[in-house]
Amino acid sequence: MINREKAMSIITKYRQEHLLQYYDELSDEEKNELLKQIELIDFSVLENLNGGKNIADIRGTFAPLGAVTIGDIASNSKEYIRTGVEAIKAGKAAAVLLAGGQGTRLGFDKPKGMFNIGVDKELYIFECLIINLMDVVELAGTWIPLYIMTSEKNNKDTMDFFAEKNYFGYDSDYIHFFIQDMAPSVDFDGRILMESKSRISVSPNGNGGWFSSLVRAGLLEDIKKKGVEWINVFAVDNVLQRIADPGFLGAVIKSGFQSGSKVVSKAAPEEKVGVLCLEDGKPSIVEYYEMTDEMRTLIDENGELAYKYGVILNYLFNVNKLEEICDKKLPVHVVDKKIPFMNENGDYIIPTSPNGHKFETLVLDMVHLQDSCLAYEVVREKEFAPVKNATGVDSVETARELLKANGVEI
Ligand code: UTP
């Protein structure tokens, strides 16, 4: 571990000397804790505070991108599924569950996957996902490696929960946990916030950190040793999520495309969902707030919305390409948040309005680093039941209704 001098030289470079302000008052254990944090933090994210101009906000020229539609899929489903199952049987597919988020909107104090979505019986979000993956395991007759990304904050709870529930019947040899990297939080002047005299305020660095965190955890070797070629990355909070879907995998393999994204048709032009499109000729996702009114309402020659295909955070990436892009930095998004901190009097403050920035990279930005991405349209009511909020839109209530409509006992 680094010593005080080394820590000082790192933080001086970023004009954050105050991080060691209380160093001499700390116990040995606290000193070590603080030095360890300084060693692990990626301070280069602070470079994104360039006078408030965020590089992630600079976009190219957008154009619509078509999809393999539900109709196309129905006509080719046998062939897609056969190709996908063959690849799974050959050990070429793995899945990565992104579960490092904080789930603030749900307001549940445990990892989101531990939420019980059941009504008459217990049915946890993690359990729904494992049940869905088991369908494919049974179809292919082989276990599919599942890598679960947690955060420093929720790793223990998540691992303990899986162990306590006996991995919901999954073979635990095929489940690996890894912790995502953390990024520092700053006030609006770019000064890193402290939680206490010995602890820097940090938060998970966004879901785009999954691949570099997986590499750092030494799991890429495991993936390569197993001969995995395709990784299906998916979010924790869609309880109807189809994971390692053989049809999707088969369609991507047959297309010869470098990656794939599940999409759903937008319900209305103003729906708040990121849309898969082209940006300067490369696949990309344009966020709903980045779209102009003209883009939102543009109609194509078939009378359909031109920017029609919304993403649902279910992607297929190729391991070789991931390795190639790993060193390319993803754009860092600077977001305003309420960040609890210790003030100059040593009091711990929980703000009621945003008081600073957090830094996040997003998995959707990985799509733009691919040469091609197959948009694979799925039926929204069958595959998309996100649990973002406690009530209202994309909530526990709407997800329960969708589970019931799909014949899941809850
Ligand atoms: P969201 O963008 O919905 O964020 O995550 P969140 O943290 O879960 O929820 P809110 O915004 O605080 O309410 C989409 C997916 O990305 C994962 C989440 O766990 C979820 O599966 N994620 C998000 C991470 O794994 N790490 C992160 O740093 C952020």
Side-chain angles (χ1 to χ4, degrees), residues 137-156:
V137 168
E138 272 157 30
L139 180 71
T142 178
W143 294 101
I144 296 163
L146 173 65
Y147 300 88
I148 302 179
M149 181 167 83
T150 62
S151 73
E152 242 179 42
K153 290 194 165 112
N154 71 16
N155 181 64
K156 186 172 180 328

Side-chain angles (χ1 to χ4, degrees), residues 110-125:
K110 295 270 180 228
K112 209 187 239 188
M114 285 173 65
F115 188 82
N116 178 12
I117 194 95
V119 179
D120 298 325
K121 62 178 218 176
E122 282 178 10
L123 181 66
Y124 300 95
I125 290 181

Side-chain angles (χ1 to χ4, degrees), residues 21 174 264 283 321 349 408:
Q21 183 181 346
Y174 288 84
V264 292
K321 182 68 184 174
I349 309 290
V408 179

Side-chain angles (χ1 to χ4, degrees), residues 94-98 144-149 174-178 214 219-220 222-224 226 228 231 234:
V96 170
L97 163 56
L98 304 175
I144 296 163
L146 173 65
Y147 300 88
I148 302 179
M149 181 167 83
Y174 288 84
I175 297 190
H176 299 274
F177 296 87
F178 65 103
L214 182 130
L219 290 171
L220 185 59
D222 184 61
I223 284 176
K224 294 209 319 205
K226 289 191 166 95
V228 171
I231 300 185
F234 65 99

Side-chain angles (χ1 to χ4, degrees), residues 224-287:
K224 294 209 319 205
K225 204 170 70 207
K226 289 191 166 95
V228 171
E229 291 178 11
W230 294 97
I231 300 185
N232 180 207
V233 181
F234 65 99
V236 70
D237 44 26
N238 173 9
V239 286
L240 287 179
Q241 189 88 259
R242 303 309 305 170
I243 306 153
D245 177 349
F248 181 30
L249 178 59
V252 173
I253 292 173
K254 292 219 89 135
S255 71
F257 282 28
Q258 222 165 45
S259 64
S261 169
K262 283 205 168 182
V263 295
V264 292
S265 277
K266 274 178 74 167
E270 47 294 328
E271 191 183 342
K272 292 182 174 171
V273 60
V275 168
L276 186 61
C277 62
L278 292 172
E279 180 185 351
D280 297 336
K282 294 254 238 141
S284 189
I285 289 151
V286 56
E287 290 282 11

Side-chain angles (χ1 to χ4, degrees), residues 305-326:
L305 284 178
Y307 292 93
K308 176 177 165 187
Y309 295 114
V311 288
I312 58 170
L313 219 173
N314 189 317
Y315 303 105
L316 267 172
F317 292 114
N318 189 283
V319 174
N320 288 336
K321 182 68 184 174
L322 284 169
E323 275 194 277
E324 187 190 312
I325 64 177
C326 185

Side-chain angles (χ1 to χ4, degrees), residues 28-307:
D28 284 349
E29 200 183 317
E30 289 169 331
K31 281 180 179 159
N32 286 344
E33 190 193 7
L34 183 56
L35 293 175
K36 183 127 207 275
Q37 261 198 309
I38 293 176
E39 180 177 20
L40 291 180
I41 283 176
D42 176 9
F43 288 94
S44 69
V45 291
L46 299 175
E47 289 158 14
N48 295 284
L49 284 173
N50 238 334
K53 188 97 194 114
N54 192 345
I55 189 129
D57 297 338
I58 304 166
R59 304 301 296 255
T61 306
F62 294 114
L65 177 67
V68 180
T69 63
I70 294 168
D72 300 330
I73 295 167
S75 322
N76 295 297
S77 75
K78 271 206 183 119
E79 189 51 16
Y80 288 163
I81 293 173
R82 193 191 58 74
T83 309
V85 168
E86 213 171 80
I88 294 167
K89 275 187 195 297
K92 292 185 184 166
V96 170
L97 163 56
L98 304 175
Q102 293 180 298
T104 34
R105 281 170 288 172
L106 182 60
F108 176 59
D109 64 352
K110 295 270 180 228
K112 209 187 239 188
M114 285 173 65
F115 188 82
N116 178 12
I117 194 95
V119 179
D120 298 325
K121 62 178 218 176
E122 282 178 10
L123 181 66
Y124 300 95
I125 290 181
F126 282 137
E127 187 175 9
C128 291
L129 300 174
I130 296 290
I131 291 171
N132 296 351
L133 181 57
M134 283 295 266
D135 288 347
V136 185
V137 168
E138 272 157 30
L139 180 71
T142 178
W143 294 101
I144 296 163
L146 173 65
Y147 300 88
I148 302 179
M149 181 167 83
T150 62
S151 73
E152 242 179 42
K153 290 194 165 112
N154 71 16
N155 181 64
K156 186 172 180 328
D157 280 345
T158 306
M159 286 185 73
D160 289 353
F161 186 67
F162 267 94
E164 180 195 313
K165 299 292 179 191
N166 209 5
Y167 302 87
F168 301 106
Y170 213 79
D171 184 335
S172 60
D173 287 348
Y174 288 84
I175 297 190
H176 299 274
F177 296 87
F178 65 103
I179 301 179
Q180 80 174 93
D181 300 334
M182 305 292 272
S185 313
V186 296
D187 67 14
F188 287 134
D189 297 323
R191 195 176 142 92
I192 294 178
L193 293 162
M194 300 286 290
E195 261 172 31
S196 71
K197 291 181 176 177
S198 64
R199 210 164 150 84
I200 297 168
S201 167
V202 289
S203 63
N205 65 350
N207 58 25
W210 74 271
F211 189 66
S212 53
S213 303
L214 182 130
V215 171
R216 204 197 298 261
L219 290 171
L220 185 59
E221 274 109 80
D222 184 61
I223 284 176
K224 294 209 319 205
K225 204 170 70 207
K226 289 191 166 95
V228 171
E229 291 178 11
W230 294 97
I231 300 185
N232 180 207
V233 181
F234 65 99
V236 70
D237 44 26
N238 173 9
V239 286
L240 287 179
Q241 189 88 259
R242 303 309 305 170
I243 306 153
D245 177 349
F248 181 30
L249 178 59
V252 173
I253 292 173
K254 292 219 89 135
S255 71
F257 282 28
Q258 222 165 45
S259 64
S261 169
K262 283 205 168 182
V263 295
V264 292
S265 277
K266 274 178 74 167
E270 47 294 328
E271 191 183 342
K272 292 182 174 171
V273 60
V275 168
L276 186 61
C277 62
L278 292 172
E279 180 185 351
D280 297 336
K282 294 254 238 141
S284 189
I285 289 151
V286 56
E287 290 282 11
Y288 67 89
Y289 52 81
E290 295 175 311
M291 287 174 83
T292 58
D293 279 345
E294 198 198 335
M295 282 171 83
R296 257 184 230 121
T297 52
L298 188 70
I299 301 293
D300 68 13
E301 64 280 5
N302 304 319
E304 308 261 5
L305 284 178
Y307 292 93

